[in-house]
């Protein structure tokens, strides 16, 4: 679970770094902000696709192997933070995106919120595991996020950003 969390966090972190880079460009009065915003939205789409593919492959492999999650106090704390702290971060990012009028930043905020939803499903599976639920619960629940990741990713890569910021 910690390895999966690390890989998912690396993908999300890459998107966040792109957003920070975009914020720096907004300070440049001579930059083509609309073009950079579209490029950011495109790369956030790629990030969503990577998340969707990773979660799908990981879930299928775990379901096939019948692997059981091991207990981890660190994993529990990380999952709790991601489940309850990251939605707040995502909402704050989204508000900032609206103030700046940036579709790309709004999409990156949506990615943060969607990753927190994935973490919340992991938390549900962890609680289920304590209550005796089967080990396949976590990968099965994570599959619920794959359509959202893929839908968002394909829309952004195709240039159909749909974060309503106005």
């Amino acid at each position: 679970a910690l390895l999966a969390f690390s890989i998912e966090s690396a993908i999300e972190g890459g998107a966040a770094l792109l957003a920070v880079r975009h914020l720096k460009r907004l300070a440049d009065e001579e930059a083509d902000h609309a073009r950079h915003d579209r490029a950011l939205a495109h790369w956030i789409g790629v990030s969503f696709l990577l998340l969707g593919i990773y979660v799908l492959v990981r879930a299928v492999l775990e379901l096939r192997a019948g692997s059981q999650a091991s207990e981890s106090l660190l994993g529990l704390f990380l999952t709790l933070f991601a489940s309850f702290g990251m939605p707040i971060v995502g909402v704050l990012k989204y508000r900032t995106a609206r103030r700046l009028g940036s579709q790309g930043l709004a999409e990156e905020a949506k990615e943060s919120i969607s990753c927190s939803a994935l973490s919340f499903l992991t938390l549900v599976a962890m609680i289920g595991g304590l209550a005796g639920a089967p080990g396949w619960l976590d990968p099965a629940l994570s599959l619920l996020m794959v359509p959202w990741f893929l839908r968002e990713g394909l829309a952004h890569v195709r240039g159909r950003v749909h974060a309503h910021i106005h």
Side-chain angles (χ1 to χ4, degrees), residues 18-28 40 96 100 105:
L18 290 173
V20 168
R21 184 173 161 213
H22 181 69
L23 284 170
K24 287 180 181 179
R25 284 187 174 155
L26 288 177
D28 182 0
L40 174 61
T96 301
L100 296 173
L105 291 174

Side-chain angles (χ1 to χ4, degrees), residues 59-79:
V60 168
L61 291 175
E62 287 179 8
L63 287 168
R64 286 180 91 200
S67 60
Q68 297 290 326
S70 57
E71 294 179 14
S72 166
L73 191 58
L74 176 60
L76 176 63
F77 286 127
L78 287 172
T79 304

